[in-house]
Amino acid sequence: MPDLKIFGPGSWAEARRIADVLRKETIGGALLLAGTLIALIWANSPWSGGYTTMTGVTVGPSALHLHLSLATWAADGLLAIFFFVAGLELKREFVAGDLRDPRRAAVPVAAAAGGVLVPALFYTLVNLGGATKGWAIPTATDIAFALAVLAVVGRSLPTALRTFLLTLAVVDDLFAIVLIAIFYTAHLSVLPLLAALVPLALFTVLVQRRVRSWWLLLPLAFAAWALVHASGVHATVAGVLLGFAVPVIRSERAGGPDAGPGLAEHFEHRFRPISTGIAVPVFALMSAGVTIGGLHGLSSALSDPIALGIMVGLIAGKPIGILLATWLTARFTRATIDSGLSWIDMFGLAVLAGIGFTVSLLIGELAFGAGGERDDHVKVAVLLGSLIAALLATVVLRARNRVYRRIRAAELVDRDRDDIPDIYQS
């Protein structure tokens, strides 16, 4: 059995697929950044009242318990699309991707687990005897923002590093949705939750039969989402469950794996642009607008233990947790860093994983409610902590640019001219 390599090249098919995903996520990161900046500028301008009015506008049918503000529609509705795509991606990674090999999956899964546990511990220690219910806020990595940073400072970053970051963030999303479902369900109505199983089951039957008709699938998906929302469980959980229901590999009846991509890949191509280009940027626009109040307001926010716990979790907890879990897993599995790279590269990625935005803001609202002073402090801490993590990662990764350019050049060598780089055939 070959030695397990951390940052190994993996397979060519997976490398091509992930390169396509990363391109879309990078564009989405730029749009996410734009939405965040617009929200911040608007909320701190003389027209801030207009921002508050816009996010508070309520629409939707009251009879279905869906008369919600635009901000809530963004958090509960649009982010369900984001988690649907995350569910598709995660299932594909473990069913047909390189992570179907348990040995190869062990390192990024352990790294993601460490990146959840240690930030949660740091936050709790800072807030002992206080607002400990926000412990999950600094546990999430925002892959779109992280890749937007890489697009600026890490253009030559080897494919293996980008792939590791993407895989870590996808597993991180799974942990986040489990935390939301278990720890941030304020009340639970059993009947709507049981009723949600009906459209979910019908959706599953149809997609297993490779039915793609939107007029059948979308009403069922909406019904499952609405019933989960009515149950008290956060509606984004429905997005992940729907994503898990979609088959990754064609059945023998549909021609088998050699007949082409499965339905999960088809849906991923269709919905990822909606997720990265619309859902997440609009959520940022609706959620990131916090009135800072100048230096006095900033110092007031940062003196709050909640904000301090979030920042310590993102800036210190994330890299420590990821590095420690990766090192321990490497020791037990006898994995080694691939040639040309070192632990400083893992440190750079671990620091970059401290960029927590989309899911961190969502958990902050679930923990402390939307609006109010605590919610503002959460937003300030998430934004500032993510900014500091991005700047620190930039310093580390740019210092290694010469090494990355050399590895990247080697990745493109194709001496036999078969359109497959030699590194994936050795």
Side-chain angles (χ1 to χ4, degrees):
M1 183 178 290
D3 293 335
L4 179 62
K5 296 287 187 182
I6 301 174
F7 302 142
S11 66
W12 172 234
E14 192 69 359
R16 284 192 305 173
R17 187 187 70 83
I18 288 179
D20 180 58
V21 170
L22 292 175
R23 279 193 295 270
K24 293 174 182 175
E25 290 286 357
T26 301
I27 295 170
L31 294 173
L32 175 60
L33 181 59
T36 303
L37 289 176
I38 291 172
L40 282 172
I41 293 171
W42 192 356
N44 289 275
S45 73
W47 305 279
S48 59
Y51 179 82
T52 304
T53 301
M54 177 194 71
T55 57
V57 170
T58 55
V59 294
S62 300
L64 299 177
H65 305 286
L66 293 176
H67 190 63
L68 310 172
S69 68
L70 292 182
T72 304
W73 274 109
D76 291 13
L78 291 180
L79 284 192
I81 301 173
F82 166 81
F83 279 108
F84 174 71
V85 174
L88 293 172
E89 173 69 18
L90 189 70
K91 185 176 180 180
R92 194 195 183 286
E93 282 289 334
F94 284 96
V95 172
D98 286 348
L99 296 187
R100 66 185 182 276
D101 177 1
R103 294 179 74 241
R104 185 179 287 274
V107 177
V109 170
V116 169
L117 293 174
V118 177
L121 176 62
F122 280 19
Y123 175 94
T124 303
L125 290 175
V126 173
N127 286 274
L128 276 178
T132 54
K133 63 181 178 180
W135 60 270
I137 296 172
T139 62
T141 295
D142 195 295
I143 187 59
F145 252 144
L147 290 175
V149 173
L150 285 184
V152 176
V153 303
R155 294 179 182 274
S156 301
L157 201 73
T159 301
L161 294 181
R162 295 174 184 268
T163 301
F164 187 90
L165 179 65
L166 176 63
T167 305
L168 185 151
V170 169
V171 178
D172 198 295
D173 286 338
L174 176 63
F175 286 144
I177 203 67
V178 171
L179 295 178
I180 289 171
I182 296 175
F183 297 102
Y184 293 96
T185 298
H187 65 277
L188 181 63
S189 299
V190 177
L191 287 180
L193 190 60
L194 292 176
L197 296 177
V198 176
L200 179 61
L202 292 174
F203 181 91
T204 303
V205 169
L206 290 175
V207 293
Q208 291 295 328
R209 294 174 177 270
R210 291 192 61 81
V211 173
R212 302 185 186 185
S213 304
W214 65 268
W215 53 273
L216 281 174
L217 297 180
L218 285 184
L220 289 173
F222 179 80
W225 172 86
L227 288 167
V228 170
H229 181 274
S231 75
V233 176
H234 199 267
T236 52
V237 173
V240 173
L241 295 177
L242 291 165
F244 283 167
V246 181
V248 171
I249 301 175
R250 285 175 180 259
S251 65
E252 293 300 326
R253 181 181 176 184
D258 296 332
L263 199 58
E265 189 171 341
H266 169 76
F267 282 169
E268 190 180 335
H269 282 302
R270 177 166 293 185
F271 285 96
R272 187 177 292 278
I274 298 174
S275 172
T276 59
I278 299 175
V280 175
V282 171
F283 169 76
L285 176 64
M286 293 293 178
S287 299
V290 53
T291 303
I292 297 174
L295 291 176
H296 175 73
L298 187 62
S299 62
S300 174
L302 297 182
S303 64
D304 187 342
I306 293 174
L308 288 176
I310 293 170
M311 292 185 64
V312 170
L314 291 174
I315 299 167
K318 269 289 186 182
I320 291 174
I322 291 170
L323 277 173
L324 182 61
T326 304
W327 182 80
L328 289 173
T329 308
R331 286 294 299 271
F332 283 111
T333 61
R334 298 183 180 179
T336 57
I337 298 250
D338 203 24
S339 60
L341 297 171
S342 68
W343 283 100
I344 189 65
D345 302 304
M346 174 60 77
F347 176 68
L349 286 188
V351 173
L352 190 65
I355 298 177
F357 184 81
T358 305
V359 179
S360 293
L361 292 180
L362 174 61
I363 295 176
E365 290 184 3
L366 294 176
F368 300 115
E373 187 177 55
R374 278 187 166 177
D375 185 46
D376 287 346
H377 292 176
V378 167
K379 292 177 180 179
V380 169
V382 169
L383 292 168
L384 189 57
S386 298
L387 177 61
I388 293 173
L391 293 175
L392 291 175
T394 297
V395 172
V396 176
L397 296 175
R398 285 190 69 87
R400 297 278 291 168
N401 250 346
R402 184 178 299 177
V403 175
Y404 297 154
R405 282 196 295 268
R406 185 174 68 247
I407 296 174
R408 184 66 176 158
E411 288 180 348
L412 301 176
V413 174
D414 181 19
R415 294 186 180 89
D416 55 6
R417 301 179 184 276
D418 62 351
D419 294 328
I420 301 177
D422 298 341
I423 192 173
Y424 296 100
Q425 298 173 309
S426 60

